[in-house]
């Protein structure tokens, strides 16, 4: 999905995904090197991680809320035919987070996370989180 959305080859995609982990893994070669991560990069890498985890194992409500939040936050990146309905639903839930400050966006995510946790406390888990 990310490969197609960004017109990347598999090699380019995995190069981007693995760049930071390779820097960390090989820190013994240059212990003074710095890894600089922008908040947007961290948010999108975490989205990929939670998405991939959901493919391997049932997703938690928290990871699903995060994925929807991230899609609303970065709607322009996710807005293509395949994801259109999910982008629309995410933006309906969170509003236009692309124009929100980082603090406003985080507050919107925190609010929905608290809502889902309150609902879980009231009626029980909404998704099956048992291992497959």
């Amino acid at each position: 999905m990310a490969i197609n959305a960004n017109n990347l080859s598999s090699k380019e995609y995995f190069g981007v995904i693995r760049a930071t982990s390779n820097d960390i893994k090989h820190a013994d070669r240059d212990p003074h090197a710095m890894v600089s991560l922008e908040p947007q990069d961290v948010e999108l890498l975490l989205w990929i991680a939670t998405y991939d985890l959901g493919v391997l194992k049932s997703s938690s409500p928290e990871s699903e809320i995060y994925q929807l939040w991230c899609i609303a936050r970065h709607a322009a990146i996710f807005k293509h035919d395949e994801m259109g309905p999910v982008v629309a639903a995410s933006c309906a839930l969170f509003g236009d987070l692309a124009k929100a400050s980082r603090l406003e966006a985080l507050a919107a995510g925190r609010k929905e996370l608290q809502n889902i946790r309150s609902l879980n406390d009231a009626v029980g888990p909404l998704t099956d989180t048992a291992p497959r």
Side-chain angles (χ1 to χ4, degrees):
M1 177 172 28
I3 292 172
N4 295 336
N6 294 291
N7 295 318
L8 298 173
S9 68
S10 292
K11 184 178 180 179
E12 290 169 323
Y13 170 77
F14 287 110
V16 169
I17 296 301
R18 294 180 180 143
T20 299
S21 63
N22 283 341
D23 287 344
I24 294 169
K25 182 172 72 173
H26 299 296
D28 59 331
R29 295 182 189 159
D30 186 356
H32 302 292
M34 300 289 289
V35 175
S36 178
L37 298 172
E38 295 295 323
Q40 175 178 321
D41 298 335
V42 174
E43 292 166 4
L44 294 169
L45 285 171
L46 185 56
W47 183 88
I48 292 168
T50 59
Y51 178 85
D52 287 347
L53 181 61
V55 170
L56 298 173
K57 180 183 174 207
S58 296
S59 295
S60 69
E62 292 84 358
S63 68
E64 291 172 0
I65 289 292
Y66 178 78
Q67 289 172 23
L68 294 172
W69 175 88
C70 192
I71 290 168
R73 179 80 170 142
H74 305 285
I77 292 171
F78 290 96
K79 205 171 250 184
H80 50 86
D81 292 343
E82 182 179 319
M83 291 287 290
V86 178
V87 172
S90 298
C91 291
L93 178 63
F94 288 103
D96 188 359
L97 294 182
K99 294 180 182 173
S101 72
R102 181 156 172 76
L103 289 177
E104 292 168 334
L106 291 172
R110 188 176 306 110
K111 178 183 170 222
E112 291 305 324
L113 188 56
Q114 289 169 339
N115 288 344
I116 198 74
R117 287 181 174 161
S118 295
L119 188 57
N120 278 349
D121 290 344
V123 299
L126 300 177
T127 59
D128 176 17
T129 58
R132 291 183 186 176

